[in-house]
Amino acid sequence: WNIARSELERIVQYGIVDRDTMEESIKIEFNPMRVGFETPKKGGFSTDVNDVLNVGVSPKQLVERARESFVKRGGVVLENVSIQGISVYDDAAVVTCGHESKDAAAAVDNSNTSFLLKSRLIIDAMGGGSPIAKQARGGAKPDGICLVVGSCARSKLFNEINRKGGDLIYSFNPVEEVPTLATKEKFMARDGSISTELPRNVQNKSSEIQMFWEAFPASSGANDRTTYMFAYMDASATRPSLQRMFQEYFRLLPKYQGLGGESSSGSTTSMEELVAKEDITFTRLLFAA
């Protein structure tokens, strides 16, 4: 997770963890962060900011310590428990829960298939995909979405750029026409089989999309770097699929991070060439919508 140190300080101020625990969870710290937009005609602008999303923490370690602190204060954590429904009254909210395992049932000393929890406050942390959010929208689809794809990759070519910090938000190319589907995109049929045959309800059109980028040095090594490409758009079914977004990401990443340089004709080394020469290795891929 990337965060500013000033934001991380709050969990110490509120007593969630102590300062030593906070410092132990920090695995990397760097500056500056670049904000910039290139334009073909006027050159655009670029500026550096400090102490913004420049601290990388271990979420596993931080959440574990926060949980320990919560339990010591009398809190109860229920795992393998599903929420079946929430009823809101004037004086309380009642949550109907279901057991997903025998361990979950034992945690509340209840062998029934479901049980009730009463609370004055419920915090929904499931994001836009939450059933509560869907109910509040009355079944209407969101007006807009943000598609994000990215990776953590390892390359000696990242070593120098990592010493220069990261990118908070950067765009180096103008609005581009991006097809809905990736080349040879695969689909799952009702019987579970995979095919490249286009389903009847899917159209392959083009949309004008502006790509934005974010990049950070990774704590796993001096040659490791995390990069994201994201775009904002409406929720039309003709907008690019996540597979297509990944295809654009791999096409543009070498130019964005200066991997392999450019030839005399202005073309950049392709990702296929970098992988074939083992100049880059991907340790994980990430996506979200």
Side-chain angles (χ1 to χ4, degrees), residues 11 40 42 45 88 137 218 227 263 285:
I11 64 173
K42 298 182 180 180
F45 86 98
V88 179
R137 291 198 302 267
T227 54
S263 66
L285 298 175

Side-chain angles (χ1 to χ4, degrees), residues 96-172:
T96 304
C97 301
H99 300 303
E100 299 295 325
S101 70
K102 292 182 179 179
D103 291 340
V108 293
D109 192 25
N110 193 325
S111 59
N112 295 328
T113 56
S114 63
F115 61 96
L116 302 178
L117 293 176
K118 182 179 177 182
S119 176
R120 290 179 297 170
L121 174 66
I122 293 176
I123 299 174
D124 180 7
M126 292 185 285
S130 161
I132 297 175
K134 291 179 179 178
Q135 180 176 311
R137 291 198 302 267
K141 69 180 183 181
D143 293 327
I145 56 174
C146 178
L147 296 185
V148 185
V149 294
S151 72
C152 184
R154 180 166 297 140
S155 173
K156 292 181 180 179
L157 303 172
F158 284 141
N159 190 284
E160 182 177 352
I161 194 172
N162 273 341
R163 293 197 291 269
K164 297 178 182 179
D167 283 346
L168 187 61
I169 182 170
Y170 198 81
S171 181
F172 64 91

Side-chain angles (χ1 to χ4, degrees), residues 17 26 37-38 54 65 86 105 119 166 186 209 220 244 250:
V17 298
I26 296 174
F37 300 87
E38 296 181 17
N54 66 309
R65 297 295 179 271
I86 301 173
S119 176
K186 297 181 179 180
I209 302 295
S220 49
R244 183 72 210 194
F250 289 125

Side-chain angles (χ1 to χ4, degrees), residues 178-182 185 187 198-207 236-241:
V178 182
T180 303
L181 305 177
E185 182 153 339
F187 304 90
L198 194 67
R200 294 182 193 175
N201 61 336
V202 176
Q203 294 180 317
N204 191 13
K205 296 186 176 181
S206 292
S207 303
S236 168
T238 61
R239 300 299 173 251
S241 67

Side-chain angles (χ1 to χ4, degrees), residues 8-289:
L8 196 58
E9 287 279 354
R10 294 174 189 170
I11 64 173
V12 176
Q13 295 171 7
Y14 297 143
I16 298 172
V17 298
D18 59 31
R19 182 164 298 281
D20 288 343
T21 298
M22 184 198 80
E23 294 293 343
E24 288 172 5
S25 73
I26 296 174
K27 303 304 177 183
I28 190 171
E29 193 166 0
F30 50 87
N31 267 313
M33 293 291 283
R34 180 176 63 164
V35 176
F37 300 87
E38 296 181 17
T39 55
K41 296 181 179 179
K42 298 182 180 180
F45 86 98
S46 178
T47 187
D48 289 339
V49 295
N50 289 317
D51 304 328
V52 179
L53 293 184
N54 66 309
V55 175
V57 302
S58 165
K60 183 177 185 296
Q61 184 174 338
L62 198 58
V63 170
E64 284 180 352
R65 297 295 179 271
R67 173 176 174 159
E68 290 172 2
S69 176
F70 176 68
V71 172
K72 285 180 180 178
R73 288 171 167 81
V76 177
V77 178
L78 300 179
E79 295 183 314
N80 299 311
V81 171
S82 62
I83 295 178
Q84 299 173 347
I86 301 173
S87 300
V88 179
Y89 302 95
D90 291 339
D91 60 343
V94 178
V95 184
T96 304
C97 301
H99 300 303
E100 299 295 325
S101 70
K102 292 182 179 179
D103 291 340
V108 293
D109 192 25
N110 193 325
S111 59
N112 295 328
T113 56
S114 63
F115 61 96
L116 302 178
L117 293 176
K118 182 179 177 182
S119 176
R120 290 179 297 170
L121 174 66
I122 293 176
I123 299 174
D124 180 7
M126 292 185 285
S130 161
I132 297 175
K134 291 179 179 178
Q135 180 176 311
R137 291 198 302 267
K141 69 180 183 181
D143 293 327
I145 56 174
C146 178
L147 296 185
V148 185
V149 294
S151 72
C152 184
R154 180 166 297 140
S155 173
K156 292 181 180 179
L157 303 172
F158 284 141
N159 190 284
E160 182 177 352
I161 194 172
N162 273 341
R163 293 197 291 269
K164 297 178 182 179
D167 283 346
L168 187 61
I169 182 170
Y170 198 81
S171 181
F172 64 91
N173 55 308
V175 171
E176 294 188 352
E177 288 280 343
V178 182
T180 303
L181 305 177
T183 305
K184 297 181 181 180
E185 182 153 339
K186 297 181 179 180
F187 304 90
M188 179 176 290
R190 291 183 178 179
D191 62 2
S193 62
I194 304 297
S195 172
T196 57
E197 184 177 346
L198 194 67
R200 294 182 193 175
N201 61 336
V202 176
Q203 294 180 317
N204 191 13
K205 296 186 176 181
S206 292
S207 303
E208 291 187 340
I209 302 295
Q210 176 70 59
M211 303 298 187
F212 300 96
W213 294 80
E214 197 171 21
F216 309 97
S219 62
S220 49
N223 297 332
D224 296 357
R225 192 168 179 85
T226 298
T227 54
Y228 297 103
M229 184 187 80
F230 57 99
Y232 300 97
M233 62 197 77
D234 62 26
S236 168
T238 61
R239 300 299 173 251
S241 67
L242 282 169
Q243 288 186 51
R244 183 72 210 194
M245 288 289 287
F246 261 120
Q247 196 167 41
E248 295 299 308
Y249 169 79
F250 289 125
R251 179 178 69 85
L252 295 169
L253 181 60
K255 182 179 180 181
Y256 168 52
Q257 294 293 263
L259 303 176
E262 293 188 1
S263 66
S264 56
S265 63
S267 62
T268 307
T269 304
S270 70
M271 184 56 66
E272 289 83 355
E273 293 173 302
L274 291 168
V275 171
K277 294 189 294 184
E278 298 184 349
D279 283 342
I280 190 168
T281 302
F282 291 92
T283 57
R284 65 178 180 269
L285 298 175
L286 312 99
F287 61 90

